[in-house]
Amino acid sequence: MKKVTTLGQFIIERQADFPFAKGELSRLLRDIGIAAKIVNREVNKAGLVDILGDQGTVNVQGEHQKKLDVFANEQFISALSCGGETCAIASEENETLVHIDSAVSKNAKYVVCMDPLDGSSNIDVNVAIGTIFSIYRRTSFSGPAEERDYLQKGTEQIAAGYVIYGSSTMLVYTTGKGVNGFTLDPSIGEFCLSHPDMMCPKSGTIYSINEGNYVHFPDGVKQYIKYCQMEDKHTHRPYTSRYIGSLVADFHRNLLKGGIFIYPSTLKSPKGKLRLLYEGNPIAFIIEEAGGRASSGFKRILDLQPKSLHERTPLFVGSTDMVKQAEEFMMKYSPVETV
Ligand code: AHG
Ligand code: MN
Ligand code: MN
C-alpha cells in the first residue's frame, strides 16, 4: 500500500530544516490548513446555505464584498487567532491591520498577510477560487504589530502558499526549501502530499491575460501577445490562451504545465490590479522556489520595497524563459516604468 503523508506529518518532519525553530511556524501552517478545510466545506455547499452573492459592503479597494469573501476572512482570522503564533494579520478585506488581542499572541514572532478569497468574481458560478497567504518574521520587538512589520521586501518571506478550491482542493506552500502540494482527501479530511518538489517547466505554450483590456495595455504587452499568437513551429507557436480570472487557478495551471500569467499596468490602473503583499509576493516566492520567475515587467517582484499594505503591482509570472521574453518586449516597446 502506498504510504500517505499528511500535511501535519510533513510539517513536523520539515521542522528539522529549521534547527532553531520552536514549532511556531509549524503551528501557523497547521492553523492555515484547518481554516482552509472549513472554507472548503462551505465553498462545496455554497449554493445550499445562502452563502453566495453580495454581502452588501465594499472593501478598502472599493470592491463589492461577496459573502464568501467575508466568511473566509473571518475563518482565517479566527484560526490564526486561536493558535497564538501571529500578533496581527493584513488582509485584503480589512483596511488596517487586524490585531489579535490575546495574551499568547502579543509576543508572537510572525505576521501574516492574506487574500482570504481570491477570484471573487468566480464564486457564484462554480469556478475555481483560492486563498493566498504570506508569512514574515515580525521586525518590531514589543507592543502591537506595526505597519513596518509588513512593509518588508518579498525576499524576507518565511513561508507562503495558496489553497485552490477547484475540481479537488489543494494546499501548496513553500518555506524556501522547494514547493510541495497537498490534495485534500475528503474521506479522511486530511491534506495529503500529492505533488512533492513541484517544479515549473522552464518554458511552456500557455499565455494567460485578460485580453478584454487589450486597448489599455502598454505596447510591450500588446507586442508580446502578438508574438504569442504568431505561427512558428520551432517555438511551438501560436501559444494557447487560458484565462480563468482567479489568480490562484491561473497560476496553479501554469505552474504545473508551464506558461506565463500577466496582469500588467493598464491606462486605467497604472500600477496594475493585483496587490503586492498578499498576491504578488507569495506567488513570486512560490514560483522562484519552483524554478520560475516573477517580475513587474522590469524588476524582480521579491525586490520591490512595499510602501503601503494594499499597494498594487503589475505581475508577469510563470516559466522563466517566457517571463524573460515578455520582459524583453517591455524593455523594447514600453521602456517607461509605471512603478
Ligand atoms: P480578488 O478576488 O481577491 O479581488 O482577486 C481577483 C484578481 C485575481 O484573482 C484575478 O487574477 C484578477 O483579479 C482578475 O481580474 P480581471 O477580472 O480584471 O481579469
Ligand atoms: Mn485576489
Ligand atoms: Mn480576494
Side-chain angles (χ1 to χ4, degrees), residues 205-211 229 238-243 253:
T205 55
I206 299 174
Y207 73 103
S208 312
I209 186 165
N210 186 343
E211 284 187 67
Q229 296 172 342
Y239 295 155
T240 191
S241 163
R242 289 283 182 276
Y243 190 76
R253 181 201 52 242

Side-chain angles (χ1 to χ4, degrees), residues 312-329:
R312 296 170 193 264
T313 178
L315 181 62
F316 294 62
V317 63
S319 296
T320 297
D321 289 353
M322 297 178 87
V323 175
K324 278 190 180 159
Q325 181 114 50
E327 286 172 316
E328 280 169 24
F329 276 86

Side-chain angles (χ1 to χ4, degrees), residues 59 63 69 92-93 115-120 130 275 278-279:
N59 69 10
E63 298 157 347
D69 283 322
E92 181 193 2
E93 303 305 332
D115 177 354
L117 214 295
D118 175 65
S120 307
R275 279 57 58 109
Y278 40 83
E279 291 178 320

Side-chain angles (χ1 to χ4, degrees), residues 3 5-27 29-30 110 158-159 172-182 193-198 289:
K3 184 181 174 289
T5 304
T6 67
L7 176 64
Q9 288 166 339
F10 186 86
I11 289 171
I12 290 167
E13 280 167 21
R14 287 295 171 104
Q15 206 178 304
D17 288 346
F18 302 91
F20 303 108
K22 297 204 187 85
E24 291 106 320
L25 180 62
S26 300
R27 282 197 292 275
L29 291 167
R30 207 192 45 205
Y110 297 104
I158 302 292
V172 174
Y173 83 98
T174 183
T175 51
K177 295 194 182 319
V179 181
N180 290 283
F182 301 79
L193 182 62
S194 53
H195 295 62
D197 296 319
M198 296 169 81
E289 281 296 314

Side-chain angles (χ1 to χ4, degrees), residues 59 61 63-64 66 69 92-93 115-123 129-130 132 209-213 243-251 261-263 273-275 278-279 312 315:
N59 69 10
Q61 339 274 334
E63 298 157 347
H64 291 278
K66 297 278 182 186
D69 283 322
E92 181 193 2
E93 303 305 332
D115 177 354
L117 214 295
D118 175 65
S120 307
S121 67
N122 283 323
I123 292 174
I129 49 182
I132 312 174
I209 186 165
N210 186 343
E211 284 187 67
N213 295 327
Y243 190 76
I244 295 169
S246 297
L247 169 64
V248 165
D250 280 307
F251 174 78
F261 171 93
I262 304 177
Y263 208 111
K273 176 181 183 189
L274 301 176
R275 279 57 58 109
Y278 40 83
E279 291 178 320
R312 296 170 193 264
L315 181 62

Side-chain angles (χ1 to χ4, degrees), residues 139-159:
T139 53
S140 58
F141 295 111
S142 59
E146 299 164 28
E147 263 195 34
R148 70 183 156 107
D149 291 317
Y150 291 82
L151 303 183
Q152 302 186 51
K153 289 184 183 172
T155 45
E156 303 306 308
Q157 288 173 101
I158 302 292

Side-chain angles (χ1 to χ4, degrees), residues 5-6 33 47 60 116-117 125-126 154 158 162 188 190 192 209 215 227 233 238-240 303 315 329:
T5 304
T6 67
V60 60
L117 214 295
V125 290
N126 234 332
I158 302 292
Y162 60 83
I188 56 170
E190 293 280 5
C192 301
I209 186 165
V215 289
Y227 167 86
K233 282 210 177 71
Y239 295 155
T240 191
D303 285 335
L315 181 62
F329 276 86

